[in-house]
Amino acid sequence: MADDQVRMSRPRDDARVLLMAGRTTRYAIEPRGEYVFGIVADQPMRSRRGAETRIVRPGQLVAWDPSAPHAGVAIDARPWSSRLMVVEVAGLEAIAGDEEAMLIGDVSFPEPVITDPALALAFVTMHRALETGVSRLEADERLAEWLSAIVQRSSAVRRSRSALTPRDDRALRRACDYLGEHVARNVGLDELATAAGIGKFRLIRLFRERIGLPPHALQLAHRLRDARRLLEQGRPIADVAASTGFTDQSHLHRHFQRSLGLTPAAYQRRFRTR
């Protein structure tokens, strides 16, 4: 969200969830293993994902899965208000369902614009409660209830789990865990395949078929996730880039802006001034 009237926070420093709220005239997000949920108020906005264009009207929810970049612009230059919640895929698995039954990309939202007044009201109520700093238990309960409701109501499971053999399942999870545990390391494909215990060409195919991302894209998602958390702590941007495996500060800047529509410096300011 590009407007300066947007605030950002995390509920009780929960690293799985990023809250955003405010007014804007445009936004652009390239999700890297993240879901984006939100509600529009005051004015409609025009959303775009690939060749799909939609009008999102006040009171409607949006549910964007990680399948493709999406963007929105104001209609007739009139800014709209919104509340957004960015949830990492691992967070969605842990909060809304059974992490043993889901993998990145399993849950999709074929129709991302949702008209459901009760679900919309529940989202606003949950979002406000998380912003005010409720207890960790209450935050977890509210998140679990709402995310479970929207997944059950509007999502589709892209692929059948039965197509994955137990060996493939273990290998894919080992590879995902390895990338998450070695974010700053310059991991090569041979190293990743060895950690997974499977051939590298089979591993690449599993990533594309089951996750929808090649291994290097998931590695980038982990790096951006860790970079955001370090920026929120006030760490210098150059140090953040070096700590999370980016070549230099400009490398971090380029990928960060594509991912969230903000520069690292702008993102850091939002947390300092909220």
Side-chain angles (χ1 to χ4, degrees):
M1 299 171 71
D3 194 276
D4 287 338
Q5 297 177 350
V6 177
R7 62 185 183 274
M8 297 182 178
S9 63
R10 291 194 186 273
R12 289 279 180 180
D13 297 320
D14 189 338
R16 303 168 298 183
V17 177
L18 175 65
L19 302 175
M20 305 170 70
R23 292 175 62 80
T24 189
T25 57
R26 61 186 175 88
Y27 84 90
I29 292 178
E30 184 173 334
R32 300 283 185 176
E34 295 173 320
Y35 289 83
V36 180
F37 303 99
I39 188 168
V40 169
D42 297 339
Q43 300 290 338
M45 69 97 168
R46 181 177 290 105
S47 71
R48 175 176 51 80
R49 180 171 65 175
E52 303 172 351
T53 300
R54 297 175 174 85
I55 301 298
V56 185
R57 305 189 183 282
Q60 288 186 310
L61 290 164
V62 291
W64 301 107
D65 58 51
S67 61
H70 50 93
V73 295
I75 297 176
D76 297 330
R78 293 176 296 180
W80 74 88
S81 298
S82 65
R83 290 178 177 271
L84 293 178
M85 181 172 69
V86 181
V87 184
E88 295 175 4
V89 168
L92 183 69
E93 295 171 358
I95 296 168
D98 182 354
E99 55 189 322
E100 293 300 319
M102 299 169 64
L103 277 174
I104 294 173
D106 276 351
V107 175
S108 66
F109 292 92
E111 179 46 61
V113 180
I114 301 165
T115 301
D116 187 325
L119 196 61
L121 177 59
F123 177 82
V124 173
T125 302
M126 173 197 65
H127 199 282
R128 287 174 174 164
L130 297 182
E131 278 190 316
T132 60
V134 296
S135 70
R136 179 62 181 271
L137 181 58
E138 182 178 352
D140 286 349
E141 290 171 357
R142 289 180 179 272
L143 281 166
E145 289 177 351
W146 191 84
L147 288 172
S148 295
I150 195 168
V151 167
Q152 292 171 14
R153 180 200 183 282
S154 304
S155 72
V157 177
R158 287 202 185 101
R159 289 170 285 274
S160 171
R161 296 281 293 173
S162 61
L164 204 64
T165 67
R167 179 170 179 262
D168 287 342
D169 181 80
R170 288 192 299 271
L172 190 54
R173 289 189 179 276
R174 286 172 183 161
C176 291
D177 290 344
Y178 194 83
L179 289 176
E181 293 165 2
H182 300 84
V183 174
R185 183 183 178 89
N186 190 20
V187 176
L189 183 58
D190 286 336
E191 178 183 347
L192 185 62
T194 299
I198 199 171
K200 57 186 177 182
F201 299 113
R202 175 67 175 166
L203 182 62
I204 293 174
R205 186 163 66 251
L206 286 175
F207 263 83
R208 292 193 178 277
E209 290 177 353
R210 295 291 301 175
I211 297 181
L213 297 173
H216 76 271
L218 182 60
Q219 180 186 59
L220 177 59
H222 285 311
R223 288 176 173 176
L224 289 168
R225 175 204 64 196
D226 285 5
R228 288 210 303 253
R229 293 168 186 169
L230 293 175
L231 290 168
E232 291 163 19
Q233 297 168 15
R235 293 273 296 275
I237 297 173
D239 290 352
V240 171
S243 299
T244 52
F246 289 95
T247 305
D248 52 30
Q249 188 170 332
S250 63
H251 188 209
L252 169 63
H253 184 287
R254 182 170 67 257
H255 284 292
F256 200 95
Q257 189 162 31
R258 287 179 61 186
S259 174
L260 204 58
L262 292 169
T263 66
Y267 182 85
Q268 198 169 55
R269 286 196 300 271
R270 302 292 168 83
F271 273 84
R272 285 176 175 169
T273 59
R274 67 180 172 88

